[in-house]
Amino acid sequence: MSEFLPSEVREGLEKARKAALRKKNRLRVRAGGESYPVLRFWSRGFAMDADVAPHLRGLVDVYDGTRHLYQALIVASSQEEGELLFEFKRNTPAVDKAPLDFVRDPDAPVAYLTR
């Protein structure tokens, strides 16, 4: 059906689709001090607007608004329908404290109090 529409109408529909995706999605990728909006996100990667996004490669941070979600190692895989697709080589959830290097005993006392 889209091949019967004039090119101006198709371009307008594509711009409206991208604007709707940007509006409903708060995900952003930060790389090198710059922030780029994410259009779609799935377990093995994400998609960004090909007109806005550079061909990123390497370590990036993924945010949902101001909340840091992931630190990921990415590579640009392909470009489809105006979207630049990226794949994760590594995707690590962000944590707000350092991991423990020992196992906590649930029955151990919290502090030693004397009388």
Side-chain angles (χ1 to χ4, degrees):
M1 173 152 160
S2 64
E3 51 276 339
F4 298 114
L5 296 174
S7 62
E8 296 85 17
V9 173
R10 277 185 284 171
E11 290 170 6
L13 289 172
E14 183 63 23
K15 284 181 184 178
R17 184 186 70 82
K18 285 182 184 179
L21 284 172
R22 265 190 234 112
K23 232 181 229 187
K24 79 173 185 179
N25 201 348
R26 296 173 11 140
L27 291 178
R28 302 187 80 59
V29 170
R30 295 206 62 191
E34 296 292 322
S35 182
Y36 306 100
V38 173
L39 296 178
R40 295 184 296 125
F41 189 86
W42 57 94
S43 63
R44 295 188 170 271
F46 59 92
M48 294 171 39
D49 188 0
D51 299 332
V52 176
H55 282 272
L56 296 174
R57 183 181 187 99
L59 193 62
V60 298
D61 293 306
V62 180
Y63 287 87
D64 180 11
T66 59
R67 193 172 55 129
H68 190 198
L69 297 177
Y70 302 104
Q71 189 174 47
L73 191 60
I74 63 166
V75 63
S77 62
S78 63
Q79 187 169 348
E80 296 176 1
E81 299 176 7
E83 293 180 346
L84 193 55
L85 304 179
F86 294 89
E87 290 182 4
F88 293 126
K89 287 186 169 185
R90 176 180 66 88
N91 187 13
T92 308
V95 293
D96 58 348
K97 58 184 175 183
L100 296 176
D101 60 349
F102 58 91
V103 176
R104 287 191 184 211
D105 184 12
D107 298 328
V110 175
Y112 181 68
L113 300 175
T114 60
R115 291 191 170 165

